[in-house]
Amino acid sequence: MSASAVTSAPSLTTTIPRPREIDAPLPAAQTVAAPTPLAPVALAAPVVPVPAGTGTDRLVVCGSSVSRRRAVGPAVAVDSAVALAVAAAAVWFDVLPLEVSLAAAAVWPLALLAAGHYRRASLGESGSRRALRSLGLAAKASVVALAFSPWASAHEPVGLAQVLLALGAAAAVHSLLGARRRRLRVVLAGRPRDVREAVRELQDADGHDVVAVCLTSASRTPFADVPVHVGLHTSVEVAARHQADALVVLPGARLSSVELRRLHWSLAGHGVELCVGTGLLDLAPTRTNVFSTGGLTLVRALPPSLRGPRRWVKAAVEQTFAALGLLLLLPLLLAVGLLVRLDSAGPALYRQQRVGRDGRLFTMYKFRSMTTSADAERTGLLDRNESDAVLFKIQHDPRITRVGKWLRRTSIDEMPQLWNVVRGEMSLVGPRPALPQEVAQYGVDPQRRLVVKPGMTGLWQVSGRSDLTWDQSVRLDLRYVDNWSLRLDALILARTVRAVLTSRGAY
């Protein structure tokens, strides 16, 4: 049967019968060359048996829905034991009387359970979310305890708050160290091109397994080892039989709002989340909010923070730290400069024109890691370029000096750029500083990098540096520009220490 015949089948049926057992097995995944249409499946909430040995998850039939729940017994036992230990310590150090300590230890695991601490992880939920949830619960409970201080003895509310905070910290540590994060199983639904891009994105990210895809039409390009099903009317049964945690419907799936609502009902009956893609690329959750108007549920994309008070704070803090860094590192910088001069003829510092914010040129300073004739020799090495498109990189560049190899591996060659930060030409964190000849080849998207100051470090450095392709480097810089925050800068600086120590992509 032709691909057009396959797509002519109704996308979703409208009948939602009561739960029932599935007698007919799900047809085999389709081959791309000669797809066989799958029979339309009513959006029901059937009871799907789980094969033996599928882990800690299980399907529980409850009324008209089927939900997969996480085995929480071991986690509750550990938190209960820790709570008893904290209660005993509180009694030992005379922080709380015995009866109050035991009551706190008994109620704490129940409070965690009620707050969703033991709930199965959702798609997109970070590994630290559970730890933050326990800390937040402890902080709220402590505030409540302190609020009752006028009606209790003088020391009990304060002691109870201290015990609750200790319990929250213990639960957070247990979440981070003791629990193994299960890889989430995802089914993608949409047009072949969109699904293929999403498969690549999710496979590059850690913590996801794409277990199947449902396409709006047959695809001529294979999807490697991922089972392919043609027709979105099969998505519910495909997600159930593949024990998926979430079904992701991508833009262009051509489902009406009514069909999406019925799809949500049916997936909820299997304990499978429904996630609807927005089509927005690299947009941080902090720059979005969901709202309703006129009966429509919409996602608002907030504008990036390119100017304003927070940018002034960033500039002031970075220039202050850069000036202090130059003073503290002055003996090291002088010693490195001497090594460069002794290793090869030429100046210790290398000056190069780079493009800054809004396209303004500035002189960037580095310790010289190549011979003085490196720029003249570049033309003869163009055929050995190991990078793609705009960048020029050679892993074993013959122009690099002996000391230069060490400087590049440790990133010490970039320390003089602290002076550029003091002068306000660069930032500690920002996009990669570009050469004028690179900017001359920029398309529309790379031009976005120039709306902020370039940085000594950035997402491009902590994600692989010279090991990145041109497209990867541009995308990371654009992600930084559009999602910038002071918190993101702090995270990048912390990751920079690890990147420098491991020397990944430094050559």
Side-chain angles (χ1 to χ4, degrees):
M1 183 177 290
S2 65
S4 61
V6 173
T7 57
S8 63
S11 59
L12 293 172
T13 57
T14 58
T15 303
I16 306 179
R18 294 179 62 81
R20 58 181 174 81
E21 291 285 341
I22 295 180
D23 297 325
L26 181 67
Q30 305 304 303
T31 60
V32 176
T36 302
L38 297 177
V41 178
L43 290 184
V47 180
V48 181
V50 183
T54 56
T56 60
D57 288 351
R58 59 189 180 93
L59 292 180
V60 180
V61 181
C62 182
S64 61
S65 65
V66 182
S67 60
R68 187 181 299 127
R69 297 184 178 178
R70 182 170 172 258
V72 300
V76 173
V78 171
D79 286 332
S80 299
V82 171
L84 287 174
V86 171
V91 175
W92 178 266
F93 290 103
D94 199 24
V95 175
L96 281 179
L98 177 62
E99 59 275 11
V100 178
S101 297
L102 291 178
V107 172
W108 177 248
L110 298 177
L112 288 175
L113 184 63
H117 179 74
Y118 302 111
R119 188 173 58 229
R120 185 178 50 140
S122 300
L123 187 65
E125 185 179 16
S126 64
S128 60
R129 176 69 63 85
R130 205 178 303 276
L132 292 176
R133 188 183 295 123
S134 64
L135 290 174
L137 176 63
K140 294 175 183 177
S142 300
V143 171
V144 173
L146 292 174
F148 282 95
S149 58
W151 299 278
S153 59
H155 70 284
E156 285 188 5
V158 176
L160 181 57
Q162 293 174 345
V163 169
L164 290 172
L165 290 175
L167 290 173
V173 172
H174 174 223
S175 298
L176 293 174
L177 302 180
R180 293 187 303 172
R181 184 171 174 81
R182 184 177 60 86
R183 295 180 65 86
L184 299 177
R185 301 169 62 83
V186 180
V187 174
L188 299 176
R191 295 180 301 181
R193 181 185 63 183
D194 299 333
V195 170
R196 186 172 291 106
E197 293 177 357
V199 168
R200 183 166 56 250
E201 293 284 343
L202 290 177
Q203 287 180 341
D204 290 342
D206 189 27
H208 305 89
D209 283 329
V210 179
V211 295
V213 299
C214 295
L215 307 180
T216 57
S217 61
S219 174
R220 297 179 180 178
T221 306
F223 278 78
D225 298 329
V226 181
V228 177
H229 303 273
V230 180
L232 299 189
H233 54 278
T234 64
S235 56
V236 175
E237 192 173 356
V238 169
R241 290 299 176 93
H242 282 282
Q243 297 296 294
D245 295 289
L247 171 70
V248 178
V249 178
L250 302 173
R254 296 183 299 211
L255 294 178
S256 68
S257 57
V258 174
E259 290 171 328
L260 275 175
R261 180 173 62 184
R262 292 168 179 168
L263 182 62
H264 186 202
W265 292 344
S266 297
L267 290 171
H270 295 284
V272 180
E273 293 181 337
L274 173 64
C275 302
V276 181
T278 63
L280 296 170
L281 183 65
D282 293 330
L283 187 68
T286 54
R287 285 187 52 223
T288 64
N289 60 47
V290 180
F291 66 99
S292 296
T293 179
L296 297 177
T297 300
L298 305 175
V299 176
R300 178 185 288 113
L302 303 177
S305 178
L306 301 178
R307 298 290 188 272
R310 289 196 301 164
R311 285 285 180 178
W312 303 337
V313 171
K314 170 184 170 67
V317 170
E318 289 186 335
Q319 287 177 290
T320 301
F321 276 96
L324 292 175
L326 282 175
L327 291 176
L328 294 175
L329 296 174
L330 185 59
L332 173 63
L333 297 178
L334 292 175
V336 172
L338 180 62
L339 283 176
V340 173
R341 292 293 304 271
L342 294 176
D343 181 59
S344 61
L349 290 179
Y350 176 70
R351 299 168 176 84
Q352 190 176 48
Q353 288 288 300
R354 295 291 177 113
V355 181
R357 184 173 62 183
D358 299 327
R360 291 191 291 267
L361 294 176
F362 70 95
T363 301
M364 189 184 76
Y365 298 93
K366 298 178 64 175
F367 280 121
R368 182 173 57 83
S369 59
M370 293 185 175
T371 60
T372 54
S373 60
D375 291 336
E377 296 173 358
R378 175 176 173 173
T379 304
L381 296 172
L382 290 177
D383 58 337
R384 296 177 57 182
N385 185 18
E386 298 174 0
S387 184
D388 55 357
V390 178
L391 298 180
F392 178 79
K393 288 288 183 180
I394 302 176
Q395 185 168 359
H396 301 289
D397 198 319
R399 302 172 297 169
I400 300 178
T401 63
R402 290 178 300 173
V403 171
K405 292 180 181 179
W406 172 72
L407 292 176
R408 286 172 171 246
R409 188 170 60 251
T410 58
S411 297
I412 293 179
D413 62 319
E414 299 174 358
M415 288 297 101
Q417 294 171 26
L418 289 171
W419 179 241
N420 292 115
V421 177
V422 173
R423 289 166 55 92
E425 299 163 334
M426 292 181 62
S427 297
L428 289 180
V429 183
R432 175 185 171 274
L435 293 165
Q437 58 265 33
E438 295 174 354
V439 175
Q441 304 178 57
Y442 276 6
V444 175
D445 289 347
Q447 289 282 348
R448 182 70 171 173
R449 308 165 89 183
L450 304 180
V451 300
V452 298
K453 296 178 186 178
M456 292 182 61
T457 184
L459 283 177
W460 50 274
Q461 186 179 48
V462 300
S463 303
R465 287 189 275 188
S466 297
D467 289 339
L468 300 173
T469 65
W470 167 247
D471 289 338
Q472 290 172 331
S473 176
V474 169
R475 183 171 177 184
L476 288 171
D477 280 344
L478 296 184
R479 183 184 301 171
Y480 172 80
V481 170
D482 287 339
N483 299 304
W484 172 82
S485 67
L486 294 173
R487 178 177 178 272
L488 179 59
D489 276 2
L491 291 175
I492 292 175
L493 288 173
R495 291 177 60 187
T496 299
V497 176
R498 177 182 177 184
V500 171
L501 294 177
T502 59
S503 301
R504 179 190 172 193
Y507 55 84

